[in-house]
Amino acid sequence: TCEGALQFVVYEELRKHVINNKSPDNPLLFFGLGAVSKVVASTAMYPAQVVRSRMMQRPVEGLTCKRDPMGLLETVRRTWKYEGVRGFYKGLLPNTLRTLPASALTFCL
């Protein structure tokens, strides 16, 4: 995924900057670098995930408020118009807290 690729790039750049060609045996350092890279990648890519999930929502029979299918630009426009920038980051914190430990551990091992 794009988020995974971005996370790996951020991790490598952080590792180069922090370690400076040394090879420390501190797993907590790698855990921290993995956690920071996950937060950066998630924050950067989350708006795309929100837009994608909103585009996949289908109208439900029997509801008074039916949604018409929207394209990419219309989804972005409506989100911006009715919710502002916060609308693109709804659910970021719970999603990051759910995925952060496993992602950080990946770089620890």
Side-chain angles (χ1 to χ4, degrees):
T1 65
C2 291
E3 183 178 336
L6 180 59
Q7 181 182 356
F8 186 72
V9 169
V10 170
Y11 174 82
E12 284 299 317
E13 290 300 317
L14 285 172
R15 189 178 61 81
K16 284 183 207 173
H17 182 71
V18 170
I19 294 176
N20 295 327
N21 297 325
K22 301 173 191 169
S23 62
D25 292 332
N26 186 354
L28 284 178
L29 176 65
F30 294 114
F31 183 87
L33 293 176
V36 169
S37 66
K38 176 63 178 176
V39 169
V40 169
S42 292
T43 303
M45 297 305 298
Y46 202 73
Q49 292 179 7
V50 168
V51 170
R52 185 187 72 202
S53 68
R54 289 183 180 192
M55 288 175 61
M56 291 189 312
Q57 291 175 346
R58 298 281 182 225
V60 178
E61 287 292 325
L63 289 180
T64 56
C65 179
K66 280 191 168 184
R67 294 188 184 122
D68 54 337
M70 297 183 289
L72 173 68
L73 294 178
E74 183 63 15
T75 303
V76 170
R77 188 187 71 74
R78 285 187 186 182
T79 301
W80 182 262
K81 180 179 178 181
Y82 295 111
E83 302 173 67
V85 73
R86 294 179 82 180
F88 293 102
Y89 290 96
K90 275 190 176 176
L92 174 64
L93 182 61
N95 182 61
T96 302
L97 292 175
R98 180 181 55 85
T99 58
L100 184 75
S103 295
L105 279 174
T106 300
F107 292 102
C108 215
L109 301 176

